[in-house]
Amino acid sequence: MLADFWRLDPSDRWQPLLAPSALARTEHCAVDGTAAGAGAPHLYVHGGSGARGLRDDLWAWRPGSHAAVRPDGGRGGLWVSSGWELIDGGEHAGGVRPAARRLHSCAIAGDPPRLIVSGGVGAGGHELHDLWAYTLPAGPWVELTPPP
């Protein structure tokens, strides 16, 4: 499983970006964060399946928010900053939150903007039919009740 992350720069060249190893995953959802307004992260990533099983974490990416460092610890070259921030979840998270999941959907909607997470597959292959909202930028998670 890879944790690589690439961006196409304005001159049409692919540029590798650093990403924390905790972001190595598949079957996650990713959504364009710019819909949340000016100054918002460019990308949000939630859940998925990682090396240690299902994930319930929420990450945000802002380009250029940290000093540029190559994987070997040097500076310069083609490598640019990580810009990733864990904003919710992970091993030590508590509180009300959606169950860890994969193959789910997400979107940003509303005013104030909220990250909406829907459905997916949970532990043991159990199909999830729930709907959650995370008020950006700092929560909390709230389970939404579908209309009758």
Side-chain angles (χ1 to χ4, degrees):
M1 188 173 311
L2 299 175
D4 58 346
F5 183 59
W6 294 76
R7 147 179 106 170
L8 185 62
D9 72 20
S11 63
D12 289 336
R13 289 183 305 191
W14 283 103
Q15 191 173 36
L17 303 175
L18 298 176
S21 60
L23 272 168
R25 64 190 64 213
T26 61
E27 303 173 326
H28 55 281
C29 73
V31 64
D32 177 3
T34 58
H42 287 209
L43 183 69
Y44 289 95
V45 172
H46 178 264
S49 184
R52 295 184 180 169
L54 294 180
R55 308 298 301 252
D56 71 348
D57 50 357
L58 177 60
W59 291 80
W61 178 69
R62 295 176 198 275
S65 60
H66 303 294
V69 179
R70 293 192 316 255
D72 63 6
R75 295 195 176 276
L78 292 176
W79 292 91
V80 297
S81 68
S82 166
W84 285 103
E85 176 186 7
L86 176 65
I87 60 172
D88 188 73
E91 292 180 13
H92 306 292
V96 175
R97 64 183 351 84
R101 64 192 61 217
R102 62 187 177 89
L103 299 172
H104 54 299
S105 298
C106 59
I108 293 179
D111 186 19
R114 298 186 299 173
L115 175 76
I116 308 297
V117 171
S118 173
V121 177
H126 178 71
E127 287 186 19
L128 302 171
H129 301 282
D130 53 354
L131 186 64
W132 290 81
Y134 184 85
T135 302
L136 299 170
W141 282 106
V142 175
E143 186 169 14
L144 303 176
T145 305

